Amino acid sequence: MKMKGLLAAGLTLVACASASGTPGEALYDPITERFIMAPYPAAAPWKQVSDRHRRGGSIAVWVPADQDLEHARDLLTKQMILGRNKVEASELASELAKGLAERCQDAHIEGPSRGTEDGNDVAYAEVSCSLQQLVLLKVIRGHEALYAAQREFRREPDAAALREANSYLAEQVYLCPVSGGTGRCAHLPSVFE
């Protein structure tokens, strides 16, 4: 199974991608909450290779500085999905994981596991393929949208890379109110990620 299929599946599950810093009514961006994704930890910053916006949401994709989208061994995807406010984080995580699993040989899905972070429902899931490919998912249910982060390895990660990816999703991917947050949301950057 070609991993382009996994990326294409993710791209078709949402209509568009956003890296914009401020909400825009014309783009139907949420106006009370911000989906924060810190830059992925690396010696050289990862580069953004895709950024699409549509009425139904947004999707942006990054790869390491020394890779391109066509030959990427590592991918980071940020999604915002509008119009599905009644869907639970675990439901979307399950839907995304099943979509990824359909496009990979001998897929195994772990999760979704549910939780709460910063007052928001979250879900984590993992999809592994027989070709030593692995996708880690985190979904957050906000008041205005659903948000998903996806870390994809197109080769089997070592234990350190897997720990780093799980830590990144847990600690560096979160949802904050535009103003008045607490904890990690208390001091948001002036330009949102």
Side-chain angles (χ1 to χ4, degrees):
M1 144 64 209
K2 293 186 178 179
M3 286 308 293
K4 281 190 209 178
L6 286 179
L7 178 59
L11 293 173
T12 58
L13 288 172
V14 240
C16 101
S18 169
S20 77
T22 58
E25 290 183 34
L27 294 175
Y28 304 100
D29 286 345
I31 58 174
T32 64
E33 59 196 19
R34 281 293 137 242
F35 184 38
I36 308 297
M37 283 181 63
Y40 199 76
W46 285 33
K47 62 185 176 188
Q48 189 171 2
V49 293
S50 177
D51 183 14
R52 298 182 185 191
H53 297 258
R54 294 209 175 108
R55 181 174 277 187
S58 65
I59 186 165
V61 180
W62 291 263
V63 297
D66 63 343
Q67 298 178 28
D68 60 45
L69 183 57
E70 188 175 340
H71 302 100
R73 294 177 311 279
D74 301 280
L75 290 156
L76 181 64
T77 305
K78 175 182 182 180
Q79 302 177 42
M80 176 186 65
I81 303 164
L82 298 167
R84 298 186 67 191
N85 295 1
K86 295 184 180 181
V87 174
E88 297 292 327
S90 60
E91 289 177 75
L92 181 61
S94 180
E95 181 182 316
L96 292 172
K98 285 177 185 173
L100 292 166
E102 287 174 0
R103 290 160 183 84
C104 102
Q105 187 177 1
D106 297 328
H108 175 73
I109 299 173
E110 286 189 33
S113 59
R114 298 173 170 196
T116 303
E117 295 175 8
D118 304 308
N120 300 298
D121 291 333
V122 299
Y124 291 87
E126 182 177 303
V127 179
S128 57
C129 302
S130 65
L131 301 174
Q132 300 179 342
Q133 300 155 348
L134 178 69
V135 180
L136 304 175
L137 295 165
K138 178 178 183 175
V139 175
I140 304 172
R141 181 178 180 207
H143 297 288
E144 296 184 65
L146 288 159
Y147 306 90
Q150 180 177 306
R151 173 60 170 97
E152 184 176 332
F153 296 92
R154 291 186 174 173
R155 82 274 180 256
E156 188 173 4
D158 61 26
L162 188 56
R163 274 192 308 275
E164 180 178 66
N166 280 313
S167 176
Y168 171 80
L169 290 174
E171 298 169 12
Q172 301 298 316
V173 175
Y174 51 97
L175 188 65
C176 290
V178 170
S179 63
T182 60
R184 60 185 168 183
C185 294
H187 304 289
L188 293 178
S190 58
V191 176
F192 296 105
E193 299 294 324

